[in-house]
Amino acid sequence: MKCPYCSSDNTRVIDSRPADDNYSIRRRRLCDDCAKRFTTYEKVETIPLIIIKKDNTREQYNRSKIEDGVLRACHKRPVSVNQINQLIDEVETEIFNMEEKEIPSSVIGELVMDKLKDLEAVAYVRFASVYREFKDVNSFVEELKKVLDK
């Protein structure tokens, strides 16, 4: 592992422990050349997951796309970064537990909406309005009624 400070290959692990999610290992490393410490994370490599989009094009799974959508939906709402990361981790776990090589984007969108509905109602409606492509006020009101009936 190269040192991020001096680019030396002469580094060693001084501490290893499971990371918060228990799906990765956190390693503290020490550079023997510059004596600086840094942290690395080791994760199990998963099968490349392909997402089938609405227009039937395919692209590789990208966590940041889910993050962007959830962050936009939660903008100026009382939702912490930890809650957002936990939501995304839960969605990701469910996706990878399906053990499919290709998953429609609609499945991911529904998973995110289910999680957001339990987390924050306004963020849920914001996400749903973009995801379901509301064309008029009536479709927006119908979604609000679903939330209010809950």
Side-chain angles (χ1 to χ4, degrees):
M1 178 66 62
K2 277 192 174 187
C3 172
Y5 303 104
C6 69
S7 297
S8 168
D9 285 331
N10 195 12
T11 65
R12 60 189 156 107
V13 175
I14 55 176
D15 181 42
S16 285
R17 65 180 72 169
D20 296 334
D21 60 4
N22 248 2
Y23 291 105
S24 57
I25 304 269
R26 177 184 183 270
R27 299 196 191 280
R28 288 294 289 157
R29 294 178 178 269
L30 174 69
C31 177
D32 290 331
D33 292 341
C34 70
K36 292 201 176 183
R37 294 176 181 218
F38 59 99
T39 303
T40 60
Y41 291 89
E42 186 178 308
K43 224 177 185 176
V44 173
E45 189 173 18
T46 57
I47 346 165
L49 180 63
I50 303 298
I51 305 303
I52 305 168
K53 302 187 62 132
K54 288 178 186 176
D55 63 358
N56 278 331
T57 59
R58 286 165 165 69
E59 65 180 43
Q60 194 162 356
Y61 170 76
N62 184 351
R63 178 186 170 103
S64 65
K65 287 195 170 193
I66 297 174
E67 282 176 346
D68 292 345
V70 173
L71 283 170
R72 239 180 271 120
C74 293
H75 183 68
K76 293 189 178 181
R77 299 303 306 155
V79 180
S80 71
V81 173
N82 288 339
Q83 289 174 304
I84 291 171
N85 285 331
Q86 183 179 350
L87 181 145
I88 296 167
D89 288 343
E90 289 171 10
V91 168
E92 213 170 47
T93 300
E94 286 188 41
I95 292 168
F96 286 110
N97 283 344
M98 291 176 186
E99 296 182 3
E100 297 288 331
K101 291 182 180 177
E102 294 187 336
I103 294 180
S105 61
S106 59
V107 171
I108 297 171
E110 293 296 328
L111 283 171
V112 171
M113 285 198 321
D114 287 344
K115 304 282 183 198
L116 273 175
K117 191 183 290 185
D118 296 335
L119 182 64
E120 220 281 330
V122 173
Y124 163 75
V125 173
R126 284 179 178 171
F127 188 88
S129 70
V130 173
Y131 174 71
R132 294 221 169 108
E133 298 174 344
F134 293 165
K135 299 290 184 221
D136 58 15
V137 176
N138 291 333
S139 51
F140 197 82
V141 169
E142 286 174 27
E143 198 65 41
L144 282 174
K145 282 182 184 175
K146 289 178 190 175
V147 173
L148 293 173
D149 290 343
K150 181 188 169 196

